[in-house]
Amino acid sequence: MTDVTNTLYLTVQHPRPDLAIATVAGDVDLHTADTLRREASKILERGCPRLILDLSHVGFCDSAGLSALIGLWHAAQEAGGALGLANVPDRLMRMLTLTGVDAVLPVHATAAEAVTTMTDSPSTSTGEHGSITRITTDAGTCEPTEVERTACDNTHHSPAKRS
């Protein structure tokens, strides 16, 4: 039997001022999809219109998760940017292919490949614009209580409790 968790981890790197890589860890399902959509939308709203979702640590994604990905694609388009997926697990890739979403959402083998495609130049994860934000969420509504920004070589945790 598969263990289902209501915890979603999102680690955001900003290798460039207008580009973010959000590494998603956990299940993206009925319990966590709205949180992913909300937190990733905040990235877009903060002036970072190009977003890459690294899904290498996603164990499960259901239709609510798929809907969140499509909603984020629309939000990125409205922000004048783009959404790309990277390191998509086989099971999720099959869902994207069967539903035809892979024809709309660009899927890349790695986050580095996605960065290169979105910027037409290699990625650097250090420098003036480099930062990482770690957001941990549990089931329910989510608002980070405190987000710490640090240099790219340090990751801090910011728990966000759901009511």
Side-chain angles (χ1 to χ4, degrees), residues 94-159:
R94 283 192 300 275
M95 181 190 298
L96 295 173
T97 303
L98 286 171
T99 58
V101 173
D102 66 328
V104 176
L105 277 171
V107 178
H108 306 277
T110 65
E113 177 186 297
V115 169
T116 300
T117 300
M118 286 184 155
T119 62
D120 294 322
S121 63
S123 167
T124 57
S125 61
T126 59
E128 180 180 341
H129 301 290
S131 67
I132 295 178
T133 303
R134 175 88 173 203
I135 301 169
T136 305
T137 64
D138 294 319
T141 59
C142 165
E143 289 301 323
T145 55
E146 178 181 330
V147 176
E148 297 177 56
R149 293 190 178 271
T150 64
C152 282
D153 57 351
N154 294 319
T155 301
H156 288 258
H157 300 280
S158 176

Side-chain angles (χ1 to χ4, degrees), residues 18-19 44 47-52 72-84 104-106 118:
D18 63 342
L19 174 69
L44 298 169
C48 195
R50 295 184 293 167
L51 176 61
I52 298 164
L72 288 170
W73 176 77
H74 284 289
Q77 296 290 309
E78 289 173 9
L83 175 70
V104 176
L105 277 171
M118 286 184 155

Side-chain angles (χ1 to χ4, degrees), residues 38 43 62 106 121:
R38 182 176 42 256
I43 296 166
D62 67 6
S121 63

Side-chain angles (χ1 to χ4, degrees), residues 10 34-43 135 142-144:
L10 186 66
D34 285 340
T35 300
L36 174 61
R37 186 186 327 232
R38 182 176 42 256
E39 294 304 319
S41 291
K42 287 179 185 178
I43 296 166
I135 301 169
C142 165
E143 289 301 323

